[in-house]
Amino acid sequence: MRRRFLQTPEAVAGTAILVLLAAMALAAPLLFPGDPLRIAGPALTPPFQDWALPLGTDRLGRDVLAELFHGARTSLVVGLAAAAASLAVGAVIGTLAGFAGGLADEALMRLTDAFQTVPGFLLALAFVSIVGPSLSVVVAAIALSAWTGPARIARAEVLSIRERDFVAGARVVGMHPLEIAFREVLPNALPPVLALSSIIVAQAILIEAALSFLGLGDPNRVTWGGMVAEGRTVLRTAPFLSIVPGIALVVTVLGVYLAGEGAVEGAAVRKGLS
């Protein structure tokens, strides 16, 4: 699987982009220590005019390159945390629904349907507007809108696994139903659920950027969406303020998708060979 992954051009390109993003996030406090929102020079310095400020400054004189690096930290934190939370919630609900069956299955699936009827971004927007903007609230809002897909896939996998011989053997030896569900069944149902992780990470990064663009991101953190919003007021005179973080968003989401596609393709090849 690893060899197949490395032989896929899109997977290699996606992985290289993600490694670069992770390096930017880790290097941000070392290369640009202190507050990235502090004034660093004259306002609206164009890129490549001052080598101490390679990407120039924004309307308030803040270093665009420092903001870009620190924004990578926010995007990674939100993407990974929201994906982990939504996968965990979805896997638990899907496992309970598929293993219990009957009324419990019906109730949990109708709850899932109710969440799926509301567009994810609108649900996140309403949640953040009510609770208040902060990084943890943004992560919770994105997870609240993204857990339904993993829940449905987990339920489908559990329905096919719960009738297998090893599950019947666990019942015979007297294991508790919940122990069977989460210790024996769920680990075997996880691979298809985890295949959604790249999609959820990409969606989380985009939703966080959109919320920040609307002024609903964490005001104490640099975000790429906030940088795009900051540059829209001077789009004619200083378009680089919106173009630079916009390109970063596009490249990051593209890298996540490419790496995810490579991982799925490698897993499919491994399953076919086995």
Side-chain angles (χ1 to χ4, degrees), residues 93 105-117 147-148 152:
I93 292 179
D105 183 18
E106 188 71 17
L108 290 173
M109 286 300 100
R110 297 297 74 79
L111 176 65
T112 304
D113 291 339
F115 274 87
Q116 281 189 314
T117 58
W147 65 268
T148 54
R152 288 196 171 276

Side-chain angles (χ1 to χ4, degrees), residues 42-56:
L44 296 178
T45 301
F48 312 120
Q49 297 295 315
D50 183 352
W51 290 111
L53 303 165
L55 294 182

Side-chain angles (χ1 to χ4, degrees), residues 2 11 69 81 86 92 100 121 149 161 174 176-177 229 238 242 248 257 265 274:
R2 185 164 52 250
F69 270 65
S86 58
V92 170
F121 175 70
I161 293 172
H176 191 278
S242 293
Y257 273 122
E265 183 177 344
S274 59

Side-chain angles (χ1 to χ4, degrees), residues 73-84:
R73 293 170 64 86
T74 304
S75 294
L76 270 184
V77 169
V78 170
L80 296 178

Side-chain angles (χ1 to χ4, degrees), residues 5 89 96 108 110 124 169 172 177 195 233 257 267:
F5 180 83
V89 172
L96 291 174
L108 290 173
R110 297 297 74 79
V172 169
T233 58
Y257 273 122

